[in-house]
């Protein structure tokens, strides 16, 4: 049974948690590692520049847009490939357990993004224009 009174607040807590994780990773990337060190380090490991740009763009979108509740479902889906790749990366190198540097936390983060995509914006999300492909669905249900 879904508590329709509290479900929007559950989605809000999840959305803010995800935003915090993205902000934390951006902060680490710029304040501790250094952006140039991060980019050049992954480039030396043969990651293509478009992958790094996608990762950075997805992290910024996840941090800012999830915080504000703007197009939450689509931002969650946009960031999902990054987290799937990170989960795979750590699972193959370190195994599952987070204590060993493994994939446990990225996998939980991945499932949180899937749950957010299913739940939607939640409470206190900014109202933004409906996307063109959603307009037809709204007319059909009205």
């Amino acid at each position: 049974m879904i508590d329709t009174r509290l479900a929007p607040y559950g989605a809000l807590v999840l959305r803010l948690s995800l935003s915090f994780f993205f902000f934390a990773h951006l902060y680490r990337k710029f304040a501790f590692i250094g952006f140039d060190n991060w980019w050049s380090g992954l480039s030396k490991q043969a990651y293509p520049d478009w992958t790094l740009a996608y990762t950075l763009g997805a992290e910024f979108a996840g941090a800012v847009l999830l915080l504000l509740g703007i197009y939450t479902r689509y931002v969650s889906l946009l960031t999902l490939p990054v987290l799937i790749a990170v989960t795979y990366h750590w699972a193959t190198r370190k195994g599952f357990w987070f204590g060993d540097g493994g994939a446990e936390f990225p996998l939980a983060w991945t499932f949180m993004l899937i749950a957010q995509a299913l739940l939607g914006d939640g409470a206190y999300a900014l109202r933004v224009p409906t996307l063109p492909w959603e307009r037809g669905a709204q007319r059909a249900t009205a």
Side-chain angles (χ1 to χ4, degrees), residues 13-68:
V13 169
L14 179 60
R15 193 181 83 224
L16 295 178
S17 299
L18 288 165
S19 175
F20 169 78
F21 290 149
F22 284 116
F23 270 116
H25 274 73
L26 285 170
Y27 180 74
R28 179 177 179 268
K29 196 172 274 98
F30 284 93
F32 291 105
I33 298 172
F35 178 73
D36 292 335
N37 290 336
W38 174 79
W39 190 284
S40 63
L42 290 174
S43 291
K44 288 177 187 173
Q45 294 178 28
Y47 285 96
D49 286 346
W50 70 266
T51 304
L52 304 178
Y54 180 85
T55 300
L56 192 62
E59 286 183 353
F60 270 110
V64 176
L65 298 179
L66 288 177
L67 177 68
L68 300 173

